[in-house]
Each structure stands twice: as structure tokens, then as C-alpha cells.
Amino acid sequence: MTTPIRVAVTGPAGSIGYSLLFRIASGSMLGPDTPIILQLVEIPRAMQALEGVAMELDDGAFDLLAGIELYDNPNDGFKDANICMLVGGMPRGKGMVRADLVEANGPIFTGQGKAINDHAADDVRVMVVGNPCNTNALIAMHSAPDVPNERFTAMTRLDQNRGKALLAKKAGVSVSDISNLAIFGNHSNTMYPHFFDTKINGKLVPDVISDHKWLEEDFISTVQGRGKAIIEARGASSAASAASAAVDHVRSWFTETPKDDFVSMAVPSTGAYGIEEGLIFSYPVRCDGKGSYEIVENLELNDFAIEKLKVTEAQLKEEREIVKHLLK
Ligand code: NAI
């Protein structure tokens, strides 16, 4: 039997965890030939609920699930992990603004970054889902000096998926007809879904969707505000779609991206598109199928797009300022 891949997941007793773990165990993330050991990392007071989730995982009788390990601390939880999915965190409470959330969650990610640095496998890959995910990934990356920076990513795949679904509906086509939708920047309401280079059955979106006002205004604001709209409609934040996007993110990372397409991931900026180096910024990337990726740098951005990138970059710099005491 192939050696199992160790997948550590934080926040597994939470809402996203409840969808995510079963998708991972079913093989949706790493394929039908890869056995998996799940290393589930919670806070001590959630351990009882986690026991229940583990019982349900047992009851799923997943062929690929070679082990379930439960931990109440990241040092043990990340030991030898090949993939760390950092989902857990403190949710935004009543009256909290984004800056409060940034401040409240920051310290969690210093501890987790250090634990990854000291205990995870040499080939570890990290994705951060817990919000504010770009800045949390930045903190974790700074806390893990021995792990190459490019191994730290944050999830903007949900934004890409939302954008694709919206374009497909508007154009009356299926989601699989849409390619090349780049999400730039922060996973927040400043994120920019860049539709100018997006294609519908190979044709550029602005040539297919003639309502350019809709593209420049409603499309962008709907993708940016979708998280809030879900909270208003269901009384809780996106969980199943977020879990699905997390599965997509990791699967894409380990799959060769088709030459004529790309996927969106927040990764350490190399300075591409004039963004400050080192910020965790969402870009279109192409993955090589072996766990490496490169930023797609050859999109020709117009002034409209450049302006949007500046706005979201400025917000990431503000967030970084709030947590600068946590960055090494
Ligand atoms: P939830 O509140 O249902 O679950 C969070 C879980 O994290 C809880 O079980 C909690 O005990 C656990 N947790 C808290 N601190 C922890 C720590 N230090 N170590 C390990 N576990 C810890 O929240 P939900 O709905 O599952 O969302 C999780 C995160 O994902 C939130 O920060 C949310 O904002 C974010 N999110 C990100 C999205 C994205 O697109 N990047 C989309 C949707 C949600």
C-alpha cells in the first residue's frame, strides 16, 4: 500500500470541518489512490465534540482513511504532517470590526507557524482558510523560518468559484465553460475578480457578456459581498462551499494546471504586478502537479484593474501593520 499522506486540519469540530473532513476522506482532495491519515487539531474545550466527529468519520467506512488522530495542541498535531489546512480560528463576534479579528486571530498563527516549523514533514504544504486568511498566512510564514515561504498559501478559491458560478449564470453556460478567472489580493471585500482575461468557451468575457456595466459593478461587488450575503440568508457563514473550495485549492496545488488556464491562490508576492514583495496576495498561478506553482505574470492589466489591485494591496498593508509585532 502507498504510504499515507498526513493531512493536519485545525478547527475540525467547526462548521467547515464538518464538511471538509468527509470530502478529504472520500478521496476528493488527493485522488482515489492516496491513503490519508487525518491529524485533527482542536482547542481543548472542543475535544469532546471532535470525538463525535471522529466517530462519524469511522462510520463513513472510508477505504482511503488509514488513520484518525485527535490532538488538542499544534505541536503534536502537526507532527510529520505533509499538508496543514489551517481552518480554525476565532469567529468575528458581535460588534467586532475586521481589525479586531486580525488582532484576535494573529497569535494563534504564530504558535501554529512555529509548530509547523518544528514538527511538520520536510515537504509540508500549508493552506490557511481561517480569516483573515491572507494575514494569518503571513504570520504563520514568518513564524516558520525553516519552511520555504512559497509553501504558505491562503484560500481565495471560494471567491474564484463564486465568480465562475456568477459568470456562468449570466452567460447561460455551464461553469466548466469558464476559465482563467483570476482573483487578486485579499480574501475580503476589497478582493478583485479580474474578468477581463476570463474566457467563456475560449472567448473573452467582455466579448461574450455585453453588459459591461454589470461586469464592472455588480459582478465585482457580488463576488466581494457574497460571504456577507450568505450570512444574511442562512444565519451562518459559508461552510460547505468553503470546505469544497479548500478541497479544490489543495487538489489544484497537486495537479498540473492546464497550460491555457490558471487557478487563484493567495501566495507570497514576488513583486509581480507591482505588489510589495512578501505580502500574501492572491494571484493567478499555475501548478506543476508536484506541489510547486508559479505566478502567472503576463496578464496585461488595464488602469481599472491596476486601481483595484492598489486598493486591496493597501488593505493588506494595513492588516500587516496591526500584526507587525507578530512578524519576525
Ligand atoms: P467555526 O466557528 O464553526 O469553527 C471554528 C473551529 O475552530 C472551532 O471548532 C474552534 O474550536 C476551532 N478553533 C479555534 N481556535 C483554534 C485553534 N487555536 N486551534 C485549533 N482549532 C481552533 O468556524 P467555521 O465556519 O468552520 O470557519 C472557520 C474559519 O474559516 C473562520 O475564520 C472563517 O472566517 C473562515 N472562512 C474562510 C473562508 C475563505 O474563503 N478563506 C470562507 C469561509 C470561512
Side-chain angles (χ1 to χ4, degrees):
M1 187 173 169
T2 331
T3 313
I5 298 287
R6 292 184 164 270
V7 181
V9 181
T10 70
S15 307
I16 294 178
Y18 197 61
S19 293
L20 177 62
L21 303 179
F22 297 84
R23 296 283 308 280
I24 298 173
S26 72
S28 300
M29 189 168 84
L30 298 177
D33 303 321
T34 310
I36 289 152
I37 295 177
L38 281 173
Q39 303 185 183
L40 307 180
V41 189
E42 259 295 349
I43 48 175
R45 77 180 136 78
M47 290 309 285
Q48 194 188 332
L50 184 58
E51 299 271 357
V53 175
M55 286 161 69
E56 287 205 66
L57 279 166
D58 278 339
D59 295 350
F62 294 106
D63 290 341
L64 292 171
L65 196 52
I68 308 170
E69 302 174 2
L70 311 188
Y71 297 100
D72 65 1
N73 71 87
N75 287 335
D76 296 327
F78 294 151
K79 187 156 173 18
D80 299 330
N82 307 106
I83 297 173
C84 293
M85 303 178 77
L86 309 186
V87 180
M90 202 179 288
R92 190 189 291 203
K94 233 185 172 169
M96 271 171 98
V97 294
R98 191 168 175 87
D100 298 329
L101 187 72
V102 174
E103 206 164 10
N105 274 295
I108 296 176
F109 290 85
T110 50
Q112 293 186 351
K114 190 169 182 325
I116 288 169
N117 189 70
D118 296 348
H119 302 288
D122 287 344
D123 66 355
V124 68
R125 302 291 191 281
V126 183
M127 79 163 307
V128 181
V129 175
N131 279 320
C133 60
N134 298 54
T135 296
N136 290 340
L138 182 76
I139 296 168
M141 179 179 89
H142 276 258
S143 307
D146 303 333
V147 179
N149 285 355
E150 66 274 12
R151 304 276 190 84
F152 287 85
T153 66
M155 183 171 96
T156 51
R157 183 55 168 267
L158 181 54
D159 309 304
Q160 179 191 300
N161 289 350
R162 286 166 170 168
K164 276 192 174 185
L166 207 57
L167 289 173
K169 253 193 190 167
K170 180 76 176 175
V173 298
S174 91
V175 173
S176 58
D177 296 328
I178 315 271
S179 65
N180 304 79
L181 176 59
I183 302 295
F184 279 102
N186 198 4
H187 170 70
S188 75
N189 59 4
T190 64
M191 150 263 302
Y192 167 56
H194 177 70
F195 58 84
F196 290 102
D197 288 286
T198 306
K199 292 176 184 159
I200 299 181
N201 288 318
K203 288 188 191 150
L204 290 172
V205 158
D207 295 338
V208 178
I209 297 176
S210 55
D211 187 350
H212 291 184
K213 187 172 179 307
W214 179 85
L215 285 170
E216 289 179 16
E217 295 176 10
D218 302 25
F219 170 66
I220 294 179
S221 63
T222 305
V223 180
Q224 289 174 335
R226 186 69 165 180
K228 192 161 172 263
I230 302 271
I231 293 175
E232 275 159 20
R234 83 181 270 275
S237 81
S238 339
S241 56
S244 191
V247 166
D248 291 344
H249 177 113
V250 174
R251 192 184 52 238
S252 290
W253 198 344
F254 288 95
T255 306
E256 192 177 349
T257 313
K259 292 273 173 296
D260 53 355
D261 201 359
F262 43 69
V263 291
S264 301
M265 277 166 49
V267 301
S269 169
T270 52
Y273 299 98
I275 300 304
E276 191 180 310
E277 200 176 331
L279 284 175
I280 303 285
F281 197 86
S282 182
Y283 282 111
V285 304
R286 254 183 223 120
C287 305
D288 68 355
K290 298 174 199 142
S292 296
Y293 60 83
E294 57 182 35
I295 296 171
V296 174
E297 297 204 30
N298 61 351
L299 300 182
E300 287 189 18
L301 302 187
N302 57 21
D303 289 347
F304 178 89
I306 290 168
E307 198 44 48
K308 299 281 183 203
L309 259 65
K310 280 191 190 143
V311 172
T312 191
E313 180 191 27
Q315 188 187 42
L316 281 167
K317 287 184 182 169
E318 278 168 30
E319 291 184 11
R320 183 183 59 188
E321 188 59 23
I322 299 169
V323 300
K324 66 173 184 232
H325 58 290
L326 302 175
L327 304 179
K328 301 219 171 69

